[in-house]
Amino acid sequence: MDLFSNLALGFMTASTLANLGFCLIGVLLGTLIGVLPGIGATATIAMLLPVTFQIGDPVSSLIMLAGIYYGAQYGGSTTAILINMPGESSSAVTAIDGYQMARNGRAGAALATAALGSFFAGTVATFLVAIFAPPLTRIALEFGAAEYFSLMVVGLVSSIALAHGSIVKALAMVVLGLLLGLVGSDIFEGTPRFTLGIREFSDGLNFVAVAVGVFGVAEILRNLENEHDRSVMIRKVTGLMPTREDFRRMTAPVLRGTALGSALGILPGGGSILASFASYTLEKRVAKNPEEFGKGAIEGVAGPESANNAAAQTSFIPMLTLGIPANPVMALMIGAMIIQGIVPGPDVAAERPALFWGLIVSMWIGNLMLIVLNLPLIGLWVKLLTVPYTVLFPAIMAFSAIGVYSVKSSAFDLYAVAFFGLLGYVLAKLRCEPAPLLLGFVLGPLFEENLRRAMILSRGDPSIFVTRPISAGLLAVAALILVVVLLPAVRKKREEVFVEEDA
């Protein structure tokens, strides 16, 4: 009964005119940036963080950011299918068979399959969020400092395991993020540390400046370096309605992809990317005619698209219940909550039920908006693909600079954006993924606070982390993840997956 009353509260919150408007803006903007290759949801949300500060209402701002995130999953498939260039990393697998379907004159069917599979998966995954978030929140309320510290260890270790490329580089990025999180004032004593005598560092590094620099500016620099003419193969898309045979072939992959993505989305690091690749591998193995994959198999579109959208939705579970980000976008969502004066974690559901349930219900509304709007607007998205990136990036840079400056009216933050933009670009050239860095930066203060609080409670005895059952169990999980990912067979398979994605 509580579930229905909570959902009713969520519908009342999400269905206000203002929140419906922000949800619509979010899903449209998300689809747009998903369609335009090279921008990405993470960079866009990072650049829009200052706007959320100006909106004022935290519910509206979080609904808009969430819409951008799962809207981008929809939009990413459009470019993957039409020009063989995924708008989102999680849509890379969709390009394999989606583009071949377009070349065979079935672009409309491929786009409709991606949209319908995404809608079903997003709807089911949002229902799972509504079911599992409350009990997880109640469990999290029993956590003490030791348990939260161990939980963050699991999150950071998982982000290392699921990061691209070298595990050593991913570990270095986490450590760098944790160190950047230490800049400012001591959380217990208030004394300055690592400030280099710069007064602006006394309150710590500006989260918005770091996020916009590492993801927004760095991504723009990379795109300018790799900019080339994009040729749209299909100028006019027809035949959007899949045939009866298409529906028969896509039903099972959509169901399997939804289940797989819902489970993997909770994992910290890159659940939606991992889910789409795992779904494609699964569909190829269970297919009666695996030789069709790579030549336009509709299962190769339906499964991965369902998986990555389900994963995008369930990644909200650890963020809403535990205050632990499952991916960089969730880290930015936590940053938006902090900007609005909300402490992420299990207390959000009890203290701000309208925000908690309004955000969940808005995902249903947003998915419905996406299926209604996306297919009729495909012609518009096709035209936007012809816009040169060199025309887009100056406007993006100007918008980012104005937004960052508006948060604290500090010119110093603009220098910080430039510095972290260059840092992000250098890290990309060194093949160091910035996602673990951002997760470490967001979790750093909480990581330190719970570590020190647990040590104070135990009077300096570190055994508190292994004598408390939940804490010991979480540390065992973290150790198991590290052991598994370092196994030769697992490491080889992991490298193969990420090589395929980069290709």
Side-chain angles (χ1 to χ4, degrees), residues 280-301:
Y280 189 82
T281 302
L282 175 63
E283 293 307 319
K284 194 171 182 179
R285 290 193 175 185
V286 302
K288 293 181 180 179
N289 300 304
E291 67 277 2
E292 292 183 7
F293 280 75
K295 300 177 182 178
I298 196 169
E299 295 89 346
V301 176

Side-chain angles (χ1 to χ4, degrees), residues 151-172:
L151 180 64
M152 290 175 198
V153 171
V154 172
L156 293 173
V157 168
S158 299
S159 71
I160 293 170
L162 295 175
H164 295 204
S166 167
I167 292 178
V168 175
K169 290 181 179 179
L171 176 61

Side-chain angles (χ1 to χ4, degrees), residues 108 144 178-179 199 235 266 324-325 345 408 493:
L178 291 172
L179 291 175
R199 178 175 55 83
R235 297 287 176 178
I266 303 172
I324 303 296
K408 293 167 61 177
K493 186 64 178 176

Side-chain angles (χ1 to χ4, degrees), residues 55-225:
I55 290 174
D57 183 5
V59 181
S60 299
S61 59
L62 290 176
I63 284 175
M64 183 183 72
L65 294 181
I68 292 172
Y69 179 43
Y70 55 78
Q73 309 302 315
Y74 276 73
S77 63
T78 301
T79 49
I81 291 168
L82 295 180
I83 62 173
N84 199 25
M85 185 183 293
E88 284 290 303
S89 299
S90 54
S91 297
V93 177
T94 306
I96 299 174
D97 283 282
Y99 183 64
Q100 292 302 319
M101 288 183 69
R103 293 187 64 183
N104 296 334
R106 306 206 63 217
L111 290 168
T113 299
L116 293 172
S118 297
F119 173 72
F120 177 81
T123 302
V124 172
T126 303
F127 183 69
L128 295 177
V129 174
I131 291 177
F132 290 110
L136 284 175
T137 299
R138 287 193 289 272
I139 294 172
L141 289 172
E142 304 298 322
F143 279 29
E147 287 78 11
Y148 265 112
F149 170 80
S150 300
L151 180 64
M152 290 175 198
V153 171
V154 172
L156 293 173
V157 168
S158 299
S159 71
I160 293 170
L162 295 175
H164 295 204
S166 167
I167 292 178
V168 175
K169 290 181 179 179
L171 176 61
M173 289 298 95
V174 167
V175 173
L176 178 58
L178 291 172
L179 291 175
L180 292 175
L182 294 176
V183 174
S185 301
D186 186 279
I187 56 176
F188 287 107
E189 299 176 3
T191 55
R193 59 186 183 184
F194 306 116
T195 60
L196 305 177
I198 300 174
R199 178 175 55 83
E200 287 82 359
F201 283 167
S202 58
D203 291 330
L205 294 173
N206 187 335
F207 174 80
V208 176
V210 174
V212 172
V214 171
F215 285 99
V217 176
E219 193 68 21
I220 288 171
L221 293 175
R222 290 179 59 195
N223 290 329
L224 287 174
E225 183 183 45

